[in-house]
Amino acid sequence: MEFFERFSGTFMTTPWEARSATPWLDCTNVTRFCCSRRLLPDAVCRAAFLRVLCRRRTRVSQLGWPRALCGGSDAMNALAMACLLEDAAVDQRKAFHSRRVYTACLYTPSYRVLTEQQRLRYNQLQALYFNEQIMFFEIAIGRNVLEALLPRFVVAATYKRLAPVLGGRAAAHRDVSPIEPALRAAILWGGLLLFYSASARMDGGAELGYATPSLLSPCSSG
Amino acid sequence: MLLQEERSLFYSRRVIAQREELELHFVKTHRTHLADEVGHVRWDEEFDWSLVAAAPIPSCAK
């Protein structure tokens, strides 16, 4: 609960320049702090949580729990994040990432001379680097790119779906201006309908991590 | 960007597959992220990129 209160009270009112100076959002500081203070899971949670809030464009309605996380598929992520925050300290004796697929220097002569303890630490630092990289792409690139694409895509897709109803220039995808006011309104709710993160199958089987089939039929350009 | 998303999915699946050997917090972190990331990759399938390229930029997005 403390996290949600700090998040809602601090982040939403802090300008971006100031945010980058805060330890828990500055990627270069995460590694330094997480080793001793178990901040990495916390920081990754914040990144994921930030995305949930931004995608839904939702402000926290009350201290403690945002409305966006109270229903739908995002509730699953909220539960997972809550578990992360409540767990015990990081077990430094275990690897943080798969050694088989994520040991960049595995085949170099230098790796052979490392002791087991050094190899374990190398694995842990590589895993932290990888998580920081994900955070950077999610926050600095992914969000900006998707938000830039959102209005154009919703306008195009909505017009495509409305065209058979409107008749006439059904094939004239480029001419959106006659119904632009309606499309602008569609953008507001279209984001909620078209851009959601569906539940993934998390456990077992060949379909591990794959999403369930989409409820929306894709728009075709034909 | 999608390459990064796909790469992330691949690594997260491997982490979950080896969850017994790895640190619990990192496994849970990857599980949480994987659930969200799958939706991002699927957006690409739902996008009609030709429409996006042909559509005019709405004034509210400029």
Side-chain angles (χ1 to χ4, degrees):
Chain A
M1 286 304 153
E2 182 192 0
F3 157 63
F4 291 115
E5 290 173 8
R6 268 189 293 155
F7 187 94
S8 60
T10 305
F11 184 81
M12 305 306 277
T13 57
T14 308
W16 177 255
E17 295 76 15
R19 281 177 225 160
S20 62
T22 55
W24 51 270
L25 266 184
D26 184 0
C27 291
T28 58
N29 282 334
V30 170
T31 299
R32 192 173 60 200
F33 282 122
C34 67
C35 296
S36 60
R37 303 187 192 180
R38 182 182 154 267
L39 281 184
L40 180 69
D42 212 0
V44 174
C45 279
R46 288 187 175 105
F49 188 40
L50 166 66
R51 223 170 26 173
V52 170
L53 289 182
C54 290
R55 187 170 64 246
R56 296 300 186 92
R57 301 178 189 282
T58 304
R59 293 291 184 268
V60 176
S61 58
Q62 57 184 1
L63 285 178
W65 200 255
R67 277 182 304 173
L69 297 178
C70 291
S73 58
D74 285 322
M76 182 180 67
N77 289 354
L79 291 176
M81 282 186 273
C83 292
L84 273 173
L85 296 172
E86 294 167 3
D87 275 339
V90 171
D91 185 356
Q92 300 282 350
R93 297 168 299 176
K94 285 194 168 184
F96 291 173
H97 209 296
S98 168
R99 296 192 191 202
R100 289 199 285 273
V101 299
Y102 203 64
T103 304
C105 294
L106 181 63
Y107 302 103
T108 62
S110 303
Y111 188 78
R112 293 189 209 122
V113 303
L114 298 179
T115 65
E116 185 55 33
Q117 185 63 27
Q118 289 170 331
R119 291 179 181 183
L120 175 63
R121 193 64 188 138
Y122 170 73
N123 172 277
Q124 293 173 342
L125 293 174
Q126 278 285 102
L128 295 176
Y129 150 74
F130 179 69
N131 284 7
E132 287 183 18
Q133 188 184 49
I134 292 175
M135 291 164 60
F136 171 78
F137 274 96
E138 298 286 3
I139 295 172
I141 297 179
R143 176 185 160 193
N144 292 334
V145 170
L146 289 174
E147 284 188 352
L149 283 174
L150 177 64
R152 298 188 67 186
F153 173 72
V154 173
V155 164
T158 307
Y159 181 72
K160 175 74 175 175
R161 293 179 185 197
L162 287 178
V165 180
L166 296 175
R169 295 172 291 178
H173 300 302
R174 296 172 190 279
D175 187 5
V176 180
S177 57
I179 56 171
E180 189 168 347
L183 292 176
R184 284 182 187 176
I187 289 172
L188 297 177
W189 55 263
L192 293 177
L193 294 179
L194 296 176
F195 293 84
Y196 68 99
S197 182
S199 300
R201 295 173 187 172
M202 298 302 298
D203 294 300
E207 294 182 312
L208 176 69
Y210 288 95
T212 52
S214 172
L215 298 175
L216 296 171
S217 58
C219 299
S220 66
S221 57
Chain B
M1 191 176 74
L2 283 167
L3 284 175
Q4 287 292 334
E5 308 267 22
E6 293 276 11
R7 179 169 174 255
S8 169
L9 286 184
F10 168 74
Y11 283 126
S12 293
R13 289 191 188 110
R14 294 303 296 260
V15 165
I16 294 171
Q18 294 181 244
R19 56 185 173 273
E20 300 298 330
E21 310 163 27
L22 303 177
E23 209 285 324
L24 180 62
H25 289 81
F26 282 78
V27 175
K28 285 188 174 180
T29 300
H30 280 279
R31 283 172 61 93
T32 305
H33 185 243
L34 181 63
D36 205 37
E37 203 69 22
V38 166
H40 292 183
V41 174
R42 203 179 61 190
W43 288 351
D44 182 49
E45 299 171 2
E46 294 182 355
F47 277 14
D48 186 336
W49 292 101
S50 63
L51 278 179
V52 173
I57 301 176
S59 56
C60 57
K62 290 178 182 176

